[in-house]
Amino acid sequence: MQIKAITGGIGSGKTAAARYLKKLGAYIIDADATAHELSAPHGAIWEKYVEHFGQEILLPDGTMDRKKIADIIYADEKERQWVNNVTHPLIKQAMENELAKIKENATTDTPQAVFFDIPLLFETGWDKYFSSVWVVYVTPEIQLERLTTRRGMAKEEAQRIIKTQMPAEEKIAKADVVINNCGTRGQTRRQIREAWAAITGTKP
């Protein structure tokens, strides 16, 4: 079983690429989904946030007010660093536990490759744990356009989030496989199929 990572900046199309890899036969361990699970009421991240920020960051139903938290951490570098220091080890451990279960229950039907889908792969230093890293990228102009039109973000908010992440050119320089997502969906999927075929020995 091959263990790889896929990453890309916000708005790059990384999640869609990971979904397509899953369709091709890969097993995806999703950092965002893991974080969401741990952030549910009384989950490990939820507990840490409430202890640190107080009940003010909770909605009436007990779930976390993600917009309020985002406003806090993107406006205060110290708070953002605290969040990273607390959440990243919890997410990493949960993802490693999921991989361990896959290996423990391995059969002839086990996927040939497991991809860790991690948005902040390089920023967290997790890239050193993988023999191969795939990077999905778009130009900064496309990235900003997608965040403002498709996700409805204010331009200033989108620019602020993009600024906190490693530039695409730096990620590309560190990548083993690069997926250019600036074109059509078909063009992107063709690149993914070709890269998948190269590691599995299947036809693209």
Side-chain angles (χ1 to χ4, degrees):
M1 183 191 302
Q2 303 179 60
I3 313 299
K4 302 180 181 296
I6 183 167
T7 191
I10 186 170
S12 66
K14 170 194 60 63
T15 299
R19 283 199 299 264
Y20 190 58
L21 274 170
K22 182 177 181 179
K23 185 177 180 180
L24 293 175
Y27 188 99
I28 307 297
I29 300 180
D30 189 332
D32 284 343
T34 301
H36 185 77
E37 182 179 341
L38 296 175
S39 299
H42 305 290
I45 290 178
W46 186 95
E47 295 281 1
K48 293 288 187 182
Y49 275 43
V50 173
E51 179 183 347
H52 182 74
F53 295 113
Q55 297 285 328
E56 294 77 13
I57 54 100
L58 297 180
L59 295 169
D61 63 358
T63 59
M64 296 194 301
D65 186 333
R66 297 181 183 279
K67 185 180 185 308
K68 182 176 288 187
I69 294 170
D71 289 342
I72 293 171
I73 65 176
Y74 285 114
D76 188 327
E77 175 61 27
K78 289 184 179 179
E79 293 289 17
R80 189 164 66 88
Q81 193 59 51
W82 178 88
V83 166
N84 290 340
N85 291 339
V86 168
T87 61
H88 291 167
L90 294 173
I91 296 168
K92 182 173 181 289
Q93 185 60 60
M95 296 175 77
E96 288 177 346
N97 290 345
E98 186 172 353
L99 176 62
K101 289 180 181 179
I102 296 171
K103 290 181 176 180
E104 182 179 346
N105 299 312
T107 66
T108 54
D109 295 326
T110 299
Q112 290 178 270
V114 174
F115 279 82
F116 279 64
D117 179 353
I118 305 174
L120 300 178
L121 179 76
F122 295 114
E123 291 87 340
T124 57
W126 292 4
D127 55 298
K128 63 178 176 287
Y129 298 111
F130 301 95
S131 60
S132 178
V133 173
W134 293 26
V135 168
V136 181
Y137 84 96
V138 293
T139 63
E141 293 77 17
I142 292 176
Q143 191 178 23
L144 185 60
E145 186 273 334
R146 287 180 177 176
L147 294 178
T148 54
T149 61
R150 299 185 187 182
R151 300 196 188 184
M153 285 186 184
K155 184 177 180 179
E156 295 74 17
E157 179 186 7
Q159 290 174 326
R160 183 176 61 186
I161 294 174
I162 291 171
K163 189 177 179 180
T164 66
Q165 299 186 351
M166 181 183 289
E169 57 268 23
E170 292 185 32
K171 294 181 179 180
I172 291 170
K174 295 173 178 288
D176 298 288
V177 174
V178 177
I179 306 296
N180 181 338
N181 194 28
C182 296
T184 66
R185 178 183 297 181
Q187 291 171 331
T188 298
R189 288 188 168 186
R190 183 173 66 250
Q191 294 174 69
I192 296 171
R193 286 196 304 272
E194 290 173 352
W196 175 254
I199 67 171
T200 60
T202 56
K203 292 184 178 181

